[in-house]
């Protein structure tokens, strides 16, 4: 490979400064919007909704993962502004990669866990749902976080240099095995959960369509809930994963000029994947109308509160309800258990 390509990719330099300046401003926008949004969601979950009383521990863990991701964005913005794909400081680079891998993995893990909970609650109604027990236990959430830690180890090994991977300076068998293991983890973290999510969603939608015609309003809200997870997952994680696969193909075939473009596409889609922290609150609202009511009554003006809360009351209640501490009315999300 030519020296120019090595200097632009191997040494962490951005192949096109204009592209990465634009991406840095996009990340700045994500940070400006994401920080207050996630802080407000954290506030509602802890002080107004009291997630531990409403069995919404999994949702709260997604909030924590999103918040930690938002906190990492200023470092990435700084690097892009200074024509670096990642920090040239080994400690800073690996710390950032560790945080991004961990937060991304946690967000995916808890989204999938929520989907499996909905799947068993709707498709296998009447059978014992172990996820209901899991969601009430903080120990299970802690176990999921600890389980994710070993999956971040590939980001800390010595062979990793600025997203360097297969086809790049593979000098020893150790390098080759390490790079292979890293890519297996990267892709399995997306592909397997995606198929699980699609399967659960299709089964849930099929089951809901067999319900009575008189429950159309409730069915729409339930289907919106499960579909919101699919949309967030597909729009945030799949594009960057496809771009990563394309980048590996380009590198393995030593297409030097194409690699410069593939790197920019991959980094650009990774930046777009950070919008996950802006879209997840939609999932919270669809999965738990109690949280939505608490958020509306906390941050929306009075005239909007009346209109939005009134629209919720038009959907008939089910026997399962949860009171929010904001003083709003008791509300229930049909077909999805109220957390």
């Amino acid at each position: 490979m030519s020296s120019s390509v090595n200097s632009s990719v191997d040494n962490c330099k951005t192949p096109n400064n204009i592209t990465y300046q634009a991406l840095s401003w996009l990340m700045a926008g994500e940070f400006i919007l994401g920080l207050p949004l996630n802080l407000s969601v954290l506030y509602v979950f802890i002080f107004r909704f009291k997630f531990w009383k409403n069995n919404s521990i999994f949702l709260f863990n997604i909030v924590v993962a999103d918040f930690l991701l938002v906190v990492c964005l200023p470092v990435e913005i700084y690097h892009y502004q200074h024509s670096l794909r990642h920090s040239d400081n080994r400690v800073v680079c690996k710390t950032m990669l560790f945080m991004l891998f961990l937060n991304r993995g946690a967000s995916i893990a808890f989204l999938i866990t929520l989907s499996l909970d909905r799947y068993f609650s709707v498709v296998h109604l009447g059978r014992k749902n172990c996820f209901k027990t899991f969601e009430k236990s903080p120990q299970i959430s802690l176990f999921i976080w600890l389980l994710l830690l070993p999956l971040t180890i590939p980001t800390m090994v010595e062979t990793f240099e600025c997203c360097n991977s297969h086809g790049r300076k593979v000098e020893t068998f150790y390098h080759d095995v390490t790079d292979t293991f890293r890519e297996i983890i990267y892709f399995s973290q997306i592909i397997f959960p995606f198929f699980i999510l699609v399967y659960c969603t299709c089964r849930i939608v099929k089951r809901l369509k067999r319900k009575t015609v008189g429950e159309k309003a409730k069915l729409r809200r339930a289907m919106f809930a499960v579909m919101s997870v699919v949309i967030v997952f597909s729009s945030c994680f799949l594009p960057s994963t496809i771009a990563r696969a394309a980048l590996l193909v380009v590198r393995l075939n030593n297409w030097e000029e194409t690699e410069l473009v593939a790197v920019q596409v991959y980094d650009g889609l990774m930046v777009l994947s950070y919008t996950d922290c802006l879209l997840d609150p939609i999932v919270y609202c669809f999965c738990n109308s109690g949280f939505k009511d608490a958020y509306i009554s906390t941050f929306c003006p009075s005239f909007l509160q009346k209109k939005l809360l009134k629209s919720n009351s038009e959907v008939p209640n089910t026997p399962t309800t949860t009171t929010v501490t904001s003083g709003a009315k008791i509300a229930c999300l049909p077909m999805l258990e109220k957390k």
Side-chain angles (χ1 to χ4, degrees), residues 143 151 238-239 313:
F143 175 75
L151 300 181
L238 285 184
S313 65

Side-chain angles (χ1 to χ4, degrees), residues 18 31 46 75 112 156-157 263 266 276 287 321 329 337:
I18 295 176
F31 177 75
I46 296 173
V75 180
I112 296 303
M156 311 301 288
V157 296
V263 165
Y266 170 68
D276 174 48
C287 287
T321 58
K329 63 170 190 357
E337 186 151 350

Side-chain angles (χ1 to χ4, degrees), residues 162-182:
C162 293
C163 290
N164 204 12
S165 192
H166 268 309
R168 312 290 300 174
K169 292 185 177 179
V170 178
E171 300 173 352
T172 66
F173 176 76
Y174 171 72
H175 284 65
D176 193 24
V177 171
T178 304
D179 286 344
T180 301
F181 181 56
R182 180 184 302 115

Side-chain angles (χ1 to χ4, degrees), residues 33 79 122 216 256 282 328:
L33 295 174
H79 294 150
V122 175
K216 281 186 177 180
E256 300 175 7
I282 299 174

Side-chain angles (χ1 to χ4, degrees), residues 13-37:
K13 300 296 183 183
T14 58
N16 187 313
N17 289 338
I18 295 176
T19 299
Y20 285 83
Q21 288 290 321
L23 291 177
S24 70
W25 287 109
L26 177 58
M27 276 194 291
E30 292 172 341
F31 177 75
I32 292 171
L33 295 174
L35 183 63
L37 175 61

Side-chain angles (χ1 to χ4, degrees), residues 97-98 101-103 148-157 185:
L97 290 169
F98 172 81
F101 261 68
L102 181 63
N103 299 334
L148 291 168
L149 289 177
L151 300 181
T152 63
I153 291 176
T155 67
M156 311 301 288
V157 296
I185 290 178

